[in-house]
């Protein structure tokens, strides 16, 4: 085999073994439908949380808070499509998409409505529904600055029914959930409204091309 042919084969190997997998890894950098994630508030470094504790005022529905503990199993949320429109499992979530966030442990959806939040008197955010089904108050619009929701990027969630922004303004509860932060929805977007993904199980796309290098083997 001459030097020129060997150089050509080595070049093909480099492109297919190095550059193509790199391009595929870029496609794994997005948050995808069906993933189970924890959401970290970028301002206060607390995770979106829920539990079987109901509000003592407002709607009386299951409360949603934010906590510092990164190990708590009650901070996992499943990314789903809007009601009546299922998203494709493993499909990257495009910025501007309407989604639902289902609380993994209690099967209720992140929800908001025209009730005052208990501490800051903003709009209440609760967990609502049965077995993952609720109503249009469960719809949130993913707002971000790229084409798709990036795993390392900042994102905001706008409530579709009321045009309010998911936020952690800083108010802290006393007993029985001492130290947990109030989660609410705001009329305006400020630094308390930015979130990013933390721990989670990210579902990879199912239709990614797999590079073939069989022709390299035949030439060798």
């Amino acid at each position: 085999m001459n030097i020129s042919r060997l150089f050509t084969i080595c070049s093909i190997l480099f492109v297919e073994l190095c550059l193509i997998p790199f391009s595929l890894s870029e496609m794994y950098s997005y948050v995808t439908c069906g993933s189970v994630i924890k959401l970290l508030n970028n301002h206060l470094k607390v995770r979106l949380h829920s539990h079987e504790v109901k509000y003592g005022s407002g709607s009386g529905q299951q409360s949603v808070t934010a906590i510092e503990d990164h190990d708590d199993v009650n901070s996992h949320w499943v990314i789903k499509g809007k009601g009546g429109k299922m998203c494709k499992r493993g499909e990257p979530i495009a910025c501007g998409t309407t989604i639902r966030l289902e609380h993994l442990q209690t099967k209720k959806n992140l929800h908001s409505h025209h009730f005052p939040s208990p501490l800051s008197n903003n709009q209440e955010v609760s967990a609502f529904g049965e077995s993952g089904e609720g109503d249009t108050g469960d719809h949130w619009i993913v707002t971000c600055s790229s084409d798709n929701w990036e795993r390392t990027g900042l994102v905001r969630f706008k409530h579709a029914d009321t045009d309010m922004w998911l936020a952690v303004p800083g108010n802290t509860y006393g007993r029985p959930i001492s130290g947990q932060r109030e989660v609410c929805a705001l009329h305006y977007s400020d630094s308390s409204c930015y979130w990013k993904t933390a721990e989670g199980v990210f579902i990879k796309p199912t239709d990614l091309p797999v590079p073939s290098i069989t022709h390299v083997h035949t030439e060798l």
Side-chain angles (χ1 to χ4, degrees):
M1 181 182 297
N2 60 43
I3 297 299
S4 177
R5 186 173 180 78
L6 180 61
F7 177 79
T8 300
I9 293 173
C10 289
S11 297
I12 294 172
L13 282 171
F14 174 78
V15 169
E16 296 197 338
L17 296 181
C18 298
L19 297 185
I20 291 178
F22 175 77
S23 68
L24 295 185
S25 69
E26 290 293 299
M27 298 180 73
Y28 291 132
S29 65
Y30 300 121
V31 178
T32 53
C33 176
S35 294
V36 181
I37 63 172
K38 292 185 179 182
L39 283 169
L40 180 71
N41 183 266
N42 192 59
H43 180 57
L44 293 176
K45 310 304 180 186
V46 287
R47 288 160 174 79
L48 188 67
H49 180 84
S50 191
H51 40 221
E52 293 182 347
V53 177
K54 295 183 178 180
Y55 286 122
S57 61
S59 68
Q61 293 175 3
Q62 182 172 300
S63 60
V64 172
T65 62
I67 63 171
E68 293 182 359
D69 187 0
H70 66 275
D71 290 328
D72 197 304
V73 296
N74 280 309
S75 300
H76 287 109
W77 299 85
V78 183
I79 300 172
K80 308 186 298 182
K82 65 185 295 186
K85 186 179 180 181
M86 301 301 292
C87 56
K88 182 180 178 181
R89 181 177 172 85
E91 181 179 45
I93 302 296
C95 296
T97 299
T98 299
I99 65 166
R100 291 175 294 166
L101 291 166
E102 180 184 323
H103 188 241
L104 183 64
Q105 292 295 105
T106 62
K107 308 302 181 185
K108 297 182 183 295
N109 296 323
L110 187 70
H111 182 89
S112 194
H113 41 211
H114 293 294
F115 285 93
S117 62
L119 301 183
S120 64
N121 204 38
N122 289 298
Q123 184 167 290
E124 180 188 276
V125 171
S126 65
F128 172 76
E130 296 294 335
S131 301
E133 297 302 323
D135 59 26
T136 59
D138 305 338
H139 291 162
W140 299 86
I141 302 168
V142 178
T143 305
C144 40
S145 58
S146 56
D147 292 334
N148 296 305
W149 179 0
E150 298 178 351
R151 288 172 56 175
T152 58
L154 294 178
V155 64
R156 293 173 295 163
F157 300 98
K158 188 176 185 179
H159 189 243
D161 277 358
T162 62
D163 291 331
M164 305 279 272
W165 299 91
L166 183 68
V168 184
N171 306 74
T172 304
Y173 287 102
R175 300 178 66 182
I177 50 175
S178 299
Q180 297 189 24
R181 303 275 188 169
E182 180 188 66
V183 172
C184 63
L186 302 180
H187 286 285
Y188 52 89
S189 174
D190 62 12
S191 60
S192 68
C193 300
Y194 284 86
W195 302 80
K196 60 183 178 180
T197 56
E199 302 81 13
V201 177
F202 295 86
I203 304 301
K204 68 179 182 179
T206 56
D207 55 354
L208 291 180
V210 178
S212 171
I213 58 172
T214 53
H215 65 280
V216 174
H217 291 294
T218 59
E219 291 180 3
L220 289 175

